[in-house]
Amino acid sequence: MDQSPFDRVILGDIVLPDAVLPGGYVGIRGEAIAAIGQGAPPPAGAVADYRGKLVLPGLVDGHMHTSSSTGWPGIEGASMSAAAGGVTTCVDMPYDVPQPVTDAGVLRAKIGVVEGSSHVDMALYGTIAKTGGVAAIEGLAEGGVCSFKLSTYEYDAVRFPRIDHPTMLAAFREIAKTGLMCAIHNEDQELVQRLTEEAKAAGRTDPIMHARTRPPLAESMADLEIFEMALETGCHVHIAHSSLARGFELAELFRRQGAKASGEACIQYLCMTEDDLVRLEGFGKCNPPFRSAAEVERVWGAVAAGQVAYVSTDHAPWPRERKIYKGDIFTPGAGLTGMQSFAPLMFSLLEERGLPVTLMASLCAERPARFHGLAPKKGAIRIGADADLLVMERGDFTFDEATIQDRPDARWSPYHGRRMRARVAATWLRGSLIWDGETVLARPGQGRFVKRQHRETYLGEG
């Protein structure tokens, strides 16, 4: 039986995955949501009044890299960006400097760093070594990783290796036993390497060549390989970032054939084009690259068709100096900052297209939590769930990279100067205010490691 008063009541327009409750409230007891309703709020020890503003579930960023350029010290700064961006749970990739998360011992060490330095809650991916790593998969699953990540393209033989087909097939068979999802960086290495060599030989190192040397075909070839192996092994195989509508169509095709297949869209593929790559130079370089304006529209079509698993950022805060184009687009690091701009940008994109804000609650919170096995604890305004909330204030705002909450050399953004139709007015983590619209109030270590809650596979149904 419910016991009143609540510790705190949050007032505002409550955004659920399928409805908005105007003039609503969320009652919090301890760290969890204990009531949801409309009208006169129940008695509580404290009231946070956001009437006229939207109250969404804290976002779950299903794809980000805190430590790919600076190592585990990057967790502290990146998690500050998350708090300021309304992201209450990060799902961090395993390709860390200098040691990726390839066994249970490394995982335990990273969990210790998360619980000592993160400002928000964090789930973790695991991966395998280039050779001899398959035997570590069960230990990583037992240790609490939410998902696995492998790559068809090699950035570094130790940190970010290409896994060959026989090893990937063996890994998929082992991961299938755990029930966890395996995301894949999906680019065909032979094609990209040859095109890059030819471009350099021809003296073409200008920004557009980043897109030309990583054409759509490089993605779709990799997609077909991994989904065929998904069909063969029963592993849930997931495109980590599809810049193409075809990727989502292929996932749906293979699901109809009995494969466990899915794919996510990163937010840049919903709004950025090749023209932005030319304009931004190194600061617009990411893999896969931005595509044509027509492809952006096709990806939105995949969203409308319900083919997209969820939307993420692929946040990768390279030091500014590593992103500067100096005549060779192949030299700057590949990756974008995106967490602090995630919520206002997603809200703006939906508003600009006349789409409901409920899609944001679904694609950026509930569904990533479900795909990564973090529900029912994370991802929704639901009784019994963690009281993780994002408060959005509508208005006319401009995103300013100088306001990014991170180390100084990570304060850059491809969205600098973009008009936004809302801002993050507040972020609540497990019932505590961690961002008040101006300042990160969370302390390092207030965030916790969130292990996978179960081993059930979710493919987007229901």
Side-chain angles (χ1 to χ4, degrees):
M1 183 174 179
D2 187 60
Q3 298 175 354
S4 293
F6 298 99
D7 296 330
R8 187 179 304 277
V9 166
I10 308 289
L11 306 180
D13 297 336
I14 311 302
V15 182
L16 307 176
D18 56 355
V20 178
L21 305 180
Y25 62 82
V26 175
I28 300 171
R29 188 173 292 120
E31 296 186 340
I33 294 171
I36 304 165
Q38 283 179 287
V47 175
D49 190 346
Y50 298 114
R51 282 177 292 187
K53 299 180 176 64
L54 295 167
V55 179
L56 295 97
L59 302 192
V60 177
D61 189 349
H63 184 153
M64 42 91 72
H65 299 257
T66 63
S67 307
S68 289
S69 63
T70 58
W72 291 343
I75 291 171
E76 182 174 347
S79 65
M80 290 179 68
S81 294
V87 177
T88 51
T89 305
C90 295
V91 184
D92 196 36
M93 285 294 173
Y95 296 127
D96 303 333
V97 174
Q99 172 63 54
V101 183
T102 52
D103 62 50
V106 178
L107 174 63
R108 284 192 297 271
K110 186 172 183 179
I111 290 170
V113 175
V114 167
E115 297 199 326
S117 64
S118 184
H119 294 79
V120 299
D121 288 354
M122 191 169 290
L124 298 176
Y125 268 94
T127 189
I128 64 172
K130 186 170 183 173
T131 59
V134 174
I137 286 171
E138 177 56 31
L140 287 164
E142 288 289 338
V145 297
C146 64
S147 304
F148 288 90
K149 173 78 177 287
L150 306 178
S151 181
T152 61
Y153 186 90
E154 186 161 300
Y155 291 93
D156 181 275
V158 174
R159 187 184 70 81
F160 203 138
R162 175 184 180 267
I163 303 300
D164 64 38
H165 292 164
T167 305
M168 189 171 285
L169 198 61
F172 282 178
R173 288 195 176 102
E174 195 64 25
I175 293 169
K177 298 175 185 176
T178 72
L180 274 61
M181 182 174 82
C182 185
I184 304 293
H185 180 102
N186 56 321
E187 293 180 294
D188 182 85
Q189 180 153 325
E190 289 185 359
L191 182 58
V192 171
Q193 283 186 335
R194 177 62 63 85
L195 291 173
T196 302
E197 290 167 0
E198 291 174 352
K200 289 180 176 179
R204 290 296 307 276
T205 59
D206 46 304
I208 194 60
M209 295 310 292
H210 178 62
R212 298 293 178 264
T213 56
R214 299 180 118 85
L217 182 61
E219 267 191 73
S220 56
M221 286 172 64
D223 293 342
L224 286 164
E225 293 172 358
I226 64 175
F227 287 153
E228 286 289 352
M229 286 189 273
L231 193 61
E232 174 73 17
T233 62
C235 182
H236 177 187
V237 176
H238 174 84
I239 304 172
H241 30 40
S242 184
S243 69
L244 308 172
R246 179 160 171 75
F248 305 112
E249 293 163 359
L250 287 171
E252 183 176 67
L253 173 65
F254 275 86
R255 284 196 300 274
R256 290 202 300 265
Q257 295 174 357
K260 296 175 181 176
S262 58
E264 75 193 63
C266 298
I267 195 165
Q268 55 265 32
Y269 306 126
L270 295 173
C271 61
M272 303 296 261
T273 71
E274 292 176 338
D275 289 343
D276 293 302
L277 172 59
V278 173
R279 173 178 62 87
L280 293 165
E281 300 176 337
F283 292 97
K285 180 180 175 180
C286 63
N287 294 331
F290 303 155
R291 302 298 184 192
S292 66
E295 191 61 45
V296 169
E297 293 304 312
R298 286 191 285 269
V299 172
W300 275 106
V303 171
Q307 296 173 324
V308 175
Y310 56 86
V311 177
S312 65
T313 67
D314 198 3
H315 178 79
W318 286 92
R320 177 183 285 273
E321 180 62 28
R322 296 286 303 276
K323 294 293 289 179
I324 297 174
Y325 169 68
K326 301 177 181 178
D328 182 357
I329 195 59
F330 301 112
T331 299
L336 311 176
T337 64
M339 270 200 295
Q340 193 162 323
S341 53
F342 189 20
L345 180 57
M346 189 67 187
F347 180 88
S348 300
L349 294 175
L350 293 173
E351 283 264 304
E352 288 163 8
R353 290 175 176 271
L355 297 172
V357 71
T358 51
L359 269 178
M360 184 169 164
S362 174
L363 288 171
C364 305
E366 183 185 45
R367 288 174 65 90
R370 295 187 71 177
F371 272 88
H372 288 287
L374 308 178
K377 186 180 182 72
K378 297 295 185 182
I381 297 177
R382 178 191 300 113
I383 292 176
D386 284 354
D388 298 342
L389 302 170
L390 155 65
V391 180
M392 299 289 292
E393 177 186 358
R394 300 176 185 89
D396 186 4
F397 304 96
T398 301
F399 189 79
D400 182 354
E401 63 188 16
T403 66
I404 290 176
Q405 304 296 300
D406 202 335
R407 64 185 192 274
D409 67 1
R411 292 176 189 152
W412 59 269
S413 171
Y415 310 110
H416 177 63
R418 192 192 197 281
R419 298 278 292 275
M420 301 289 189
R421 297 194 180 190
R423 74 177 190 99
V424 179
T427 307
W428 293 76
L429 176 67
R430 289 180 273 105
S432 295
L433 182 65
I434 63 169
W435 168 255
D436 64 3
E438 296 181 355
T439 305
V440 174
L441 304 177
R443 64 185 185 280
Q446 190 168 336
R448 297 175 185 164
F449 169 62
V450 184
K451 68 178 182 180
R452 191 177 179 98
Q453 304 295 294
H454 54 76
R455 292 194 176 189
E456 299 170 8
T457 300
Y458 177 71
L459 293 173
E461 68 281 355

